[in-house]
Amino acid sequence: MIVSGDGALAHRLAGELRDVYGELVVLVVPPADGTPASRLPPGGRGRASALLGRVSSAMLRTPAPGPDGIGDTRLVEALEPGDEALVEAGIEQAAAVALVHRDDETNIRAALTARRLNPRVRLVIRLYNRKLGQYLQELLDQAAALTTPGTDPGAPEASTTVLSDADTAAPALAATALAGTSKVVHADGVLLRAGQRPPPRPGEVTDPGLCTLALLSLCTLALLSSTTNDPAGAEGSDRSGSEGPRLLPDERSMDEAGHRGRVVLETVTYTGPAQSPGRLTDLSAPLGRLFSRRLRWSLAGIVASVLALAIATCLTTGADPLHAAYLTLLDIFAIDDPAKGQPVGRQILQLLSGLVGLLLLPILVAAVLEGLGTFRNASALPRPPRGLSGHVVLLGMGKIGARVLVRLRELDIPVVCVEADPEARGIALARRLRVPTVIGDVTQEGLLESARIHRAHALLALTSSDTTNLEAALYARSVKPDLRVVMRLYDDDFATAVHRTLRAAHPGALTRSRSVSHLAAPAFASAMMGRQILGAIPVERKVLLFAAVDVAGHPQLEGRTVEEAFREGAWRVLALDTSSPADRVPDLGAARRGRAGSPGDLVWQVPAGYVLRPEDRVVLAATRRGLAELLGRRPASRVAQRPR
């Protein structure tokens, strides 16, 4: 794996590939020193200060084995990722290349060069311009298809993935606000969480989770080490006589290890009241949304008065009820002749009918104005309803805020947006989705109260200002001390300091503060591993991978039942894709564009006796070595050292 970048994201991405996936990584960065800034390209003027501030060049030049002894990292210094630098990094043998420079032009130039040097390499590109990224992705995929038309179908896919900060940070932010942990995986619109369970005790009832979220346990992913709950031990320690974590155990192992904690895979779904879309697109909208309650009571009073006058006219004049109602309406609308020479009762009723007609006129005008105003405001931003509770307050509707809003609405989570700029990027999306939105500066007194922060489940502070996010979090905590808070902070050290301080000040509440590089690295790493990799969940010092695999061509799966296909410590079938092969989406981990709110095609808890067919696609939980064996891929032992 080749990672080329000039910021903290490159460092975190290299560490993610090495430590989590156990891959061989070559890091291409601008020189740390000795080169004038004027000679550096626009994307390299950040140099490697942010990257090498925590890791020295000597450490990066020395191969660093990963947790299983299979992951190494090597450094290549170059002014720009050109032909010479990529060849020195081993572009001919590379499986994937990530270009994460802060300048779009540098990434585009490097992507074109990498595709020319190795048409079959998998490219992951960081671009801020998403429309340009779509065009570039199509161009590079087309170039790969034309350059290698007779490629072996079993060869790795030469795909191109273009990601932005919004694409990478949004899923992690939304998942942290809902599940309260970063150990999550997205699969076809379903949020999976790895929940840690302590050793069971007699009579103890396990907490089912949040009051507005339903957690469905699918299977046991791992048994924690025997020293996890030992005060004298350390998590995952290798102390003599201790048992380390056991991944993907079978029933016998779980029965024998009843005293050990477990990591359980759970699906997270929202069970609270649904958020109404609030659209008014036709004339069949209910009266409750067209007219206010006061106007409806006024109309009811007028109707009751008309009925009372019609009955009185019927009794006074002796006319039949239908004729009496007709005379009453004529009097109300003042189009009947005066009741001269009529009985006194008839004259009094005519006067009362005229009075009711005068009262009816302003009510009719008000009804017309309210109806027109309601349809006119159908395209405006709705206000948060008074009875709203258990929702997520989303602060900031920029690029990342808009993507987080889409993720939350895909899970049917009620959201209230807060934005200071009425022309922000995500305001149009909130208007289209009919999401309640408050326009104003969050630092103003009472603005968060109007978003019902005192009854909210979580606060997502995603503005572009670190101080604004911190101020909003502190104020929200003063209103509701146990509120779950997730902040987007740019500086990693600042995010760590804020997290520790808030955790110490509010031990009973959940606080998460993450930098952009911390959130982006896992998404870039998953894209580099290929579309079949949905994500990874660490278990102490080991890692479990989640992958979507076609059954065809894998004798360990094809023709076997789900129970027979399970291999302890290697892989386990979690879900079955029920969609037809022609309608399947290539990437199950991507957002379900155009299918928000619709059920996914994955069936969880597949019967143990189901026989896997060649046309099936399954979602697996596997260890790194198990997945490498299943996919026919051998992890290398070291990085090939090239002469410097």
Side-chain angles (χ1 to χ4, degrees), residues 200 219-223 246 248-260 262-264 566 568 572:
C219 66
T220 298
L221 294 177
L223 297 174
R246 182 177 298 180
L248 302 175
D250 57 8
E251 296 295 336
R252 181 180 57 83
S253 300
M254 289 187 288
D255 293 338
E256 294 176 354
H259 63 286
R260 299 170 64 174
R262 303 182 181 187
V263 177
V264 181
F566 167 66
E568 182 184 10
R572 176 194 292 272

Side-chain angles (χ1 to χ4, degrees), residues 391-414:
H391 58 287
V392 175
V393 177
L394 179 58
L395 174 59
M397 292 300 295
K399 293 188 302 181
I400 294 183
R403 295 291 298 144
V404 171
L405 176 60
V406 172
R407 285 280 182 171
L408 293 174
R409 294 306 299 134
E410 285 178 350
L411 297 172
D412 294 328
I413 304 297

Side-chain angles (χ1 to χ4, degrees), residues 222-381:
L223 297 174
L224 298 177
S225 62
S226 57
T227 59
T228 301
N229 298 284
D230 184 3
E235 181 181 11
S237 66
D238 296 326
R239 195 179 58 180
S240 177
S242 65
E243 275 189 87
R246 182 177 298 180
L247 303 183
L248 302 175
D250 57 8
E251 296 295 336
R252 181 180 57 83
S253 300
M254 289 187 288
D255 293 338
E256 294 176 354
H259 63 286
R260 299 170 64 174
R262 303 182 181 187
V263 177
V264 181
L265 184 64
E266 303 166 330
T267 61
V268 182
T269 55
Y270 178 72
T271 58
Q275 182 168 340
S276 174
R279 291 185 179 273
L280 288 174
T281 56
D282 53 26
L283 295 178
S284 62
L287 292 177
R289 292 161 59 188
L290 279 175
F291 306 120
S292 64
R293 177 178 298 181
R294 182 178 302 176
L295 183 59
R296 295 198 302 270
W297 278 110
S298 300
L299 290 174
I302 291 295
V303 171
S305 301
V306 171
L307 291 177
L309 290 173
I311 294 174
T313 301
C314 179
L315 296 177
T316 303
T317 61
D320 61 277
L322 184 61
H323 184 66
Y326 175 70
L327 292 177
T328 302
L329 291 177
L330 291 178
D331 291 336
I332 288 176
F333 296 123
I335 57 177
D336 194 14
D337 293 333
K340 295 181 178 179
Q342 299 289 331
V344 177
R346 166 65 181 149
Q347 294 176 345
I348 295 176
L349 290 174
Q350 189 177 56
L351 293 175
L352 293 176
S353 299
L355 179 61
V356 172
L358 293 176
L359 297 176
L360 178 62
L361 181 60
I363 294 177
L364 292 177
V365 174
V368 172
L369 294 178
E370 279 200 8
L372 293 177
T374 301
F375 281 103
R376 183 177 63 251
N377 292 332
S379 60
L381 294 169

Side-chain angles (χ1 to χ4, degrees), residues 95-125:
V97 177
L99 305 169
V100 293
H101 292 267
R102 287 171 288 193
D103 179 54
D104 283 2
E105 183 180 350
T106 301
N107 292 329
I108 294 174
R109 189 186 306 115
L112 297 175
T113 303
R115 180 62 79 213
R116 174 172 52 84
L117 295 176
N118 186 353
R120 297 305 307 168
V121 74
R122 185 182 300 118
L123 294 178
V124 180
I125 310 169

